[in-house]
Amino acid sequence: MLTTVTLFTLQPNQKRWGLAQMGTSPPQLQKVPGLRFFKLAGSGAANGFGLWPNLHRYGFVAVWDSPETAAAFFAEHPLWQEYRQRSVETWTLDLAPLKSHGLWDGVKPFDYPTPETTVPDDAPVAVLTRASIRWQKTWRFWQYVEPTSAALARADGVRVAIGLGELPIIRQATFSVWESAQKMQQYAYRDATHREVIKLTRQENWYGEELFARFQVLRSEGTLDGKNPLEA
């Protein structure tokens, strides 16, 4: 099996089309052979973390039966070819889960066996966190989005950090890519803002459902903001 995360940036005149795809693409994706799990997500202003939407940038998270089924979709499927034609750029990561806990719509999408390999200390890793925020806790959650995202953006070793959302306000995710697991752990355990937010989420029970997943980066293809973020 294989997990992929794609970030794509639409052409300036494709905002309406992109927004419509949030409703029209899922029925087509449900019929794709070998696609076990998927989520389309929008992003916000301020690199995805703002309350107002960025109608040009979206994310596509997918779990596939095999690398071959993923490759066939990205190379041949008519829906994805239309996405590519309407986009300025796309960036796709092939990922293997290293650790995952929690649920996403009641399932564990990244809980599948992978070959036992030792990840080099200097190898890049990706982290995906997502949550369904309780309505009564949304104001508390959004109070901390700006300082938390600012701390993440300036963290040592972060190559990409973007906020994604399945639904505005209440279903939010963060996807980040790091130079190494060591850099990621330094941020997670030493950054005061991050530690405070984690503590508050537990004390105040912000989330109805949440998931954390860490991945080994197998391959990086395409560009984001004009470059491949994992190229030196």
Side-chain angles (χ1 to χ4, degrees):
M1 294 176 64
L2 179 73
T3 296
T4 60
V5 173
T6 301
L7 301 177
F8 54 95
T9 308
L10 296 176
Q11 298 172 9
N13 62 345
Q14 298 298 323
K15 290 190 292 185
R16 287 188 178 181
W17 181 87
L19 188 60
Q21 297 314 298
M22 295 293 287
T24 60
S25 287
Q28 299 180 66
L29 291 168
Q30 289 171 359
K31 301 175 183 178
V32 174
L35 180 54
R36 287 179 171 241
F37 175 90
F38 71 88
K39 291 292 178 183
L40 275 172
S43 69
N47 204 30
F49 296 100
L51 190 58
W52 297 105
N54 177 352
L55 297 179
H56 293 110
R57 181 157 290 172
Y58 292 82
F60 174 52
V61 181
V63 179
W64 307 88
D65 277 344
S66 67
E68 290 75 19
T69 55
F73 171 81
F74 288 118
E76 303 168 3
H77 197 279
L79 176 62
W80 190 250
Q81 299 316 303
E82 187 169 11
Y83 270 96
R84 292 187 62 181
Q85 292 168 7
R86 294 176 183 267
S87 296
V88 175
E89 59 181 358
T90 64
W91 181 48
T92 298
L93 290 175
D94 289 358
L95 306 171
L98 298 171
K99 178 182 179 181
S100 177
H101 60 80
L103 300 174
W104 198 336
D105 285 346
V107 301
K108 299 179 178 180
F110 312 117
D111 188 12
Y112 59 85
T114 58
E116 293 187 9
T117 58
T118 300
V119 181
D121 293 338
D122 59 350
V125 296
V127 175
L128 176 69
T129 62
R130 62 80 55 184
S132 295
I133 307 157
R134 300 182 189 277
W135 272 110
Q136 64 270 31
K137 301 297 182 180
T138 53
W139 69 275
R140 285 290 282 164
F141 173 87
W142 283 97
Q143 272 185 308
Y144 285 89
V145 167
E146 184 175 350
T148 304
S149 61
L152 178 59
R154 65 173 180 264
D156 181 33
V158 68
R159 288 294 185 94
V160 171
I162 185 170
L164 299 170
E166 299 168 72
L167 290 174
I169 310 296
I170 61 168
R171 285 191 170 186
Q172 300 297 312
T174 297
F175 181 69
S176 57
V177 183
W178 300 79
E179 292 176 5
S180 66
Q182 181 182 21
K183 296 287 188 181
M184 182 273 295
Q185 291 169 344
Q186 287 176 353
Y187 165 77
Y189 298 124
R190 297 180 185 178
D191 184 83
T193 303
H194 181 262
R195 293 201 315 271
E196 180 184 8
V197 170
I198 296 298
K199 181 180 178 181
L200 286 172
T201 61
R202 302 292 180 261
Q203 290 179 343
E204 301 182 10
N205 196 23
W206 287 5
Y207 306 142
E209 183 185 65
E210 60 182 313
L211 177 143
F212 169 89
R214 184 190 304 173
F215 303 89
Q216 178 185 3
V217 177
L218 303 175
R219 189 173 69 99
S220 170
E221 180 178 326
T223 62
L224 181 71
D225 294 329
K227 63 181 181 181
N228 187 325
L230 291 182
E231 289 183 353

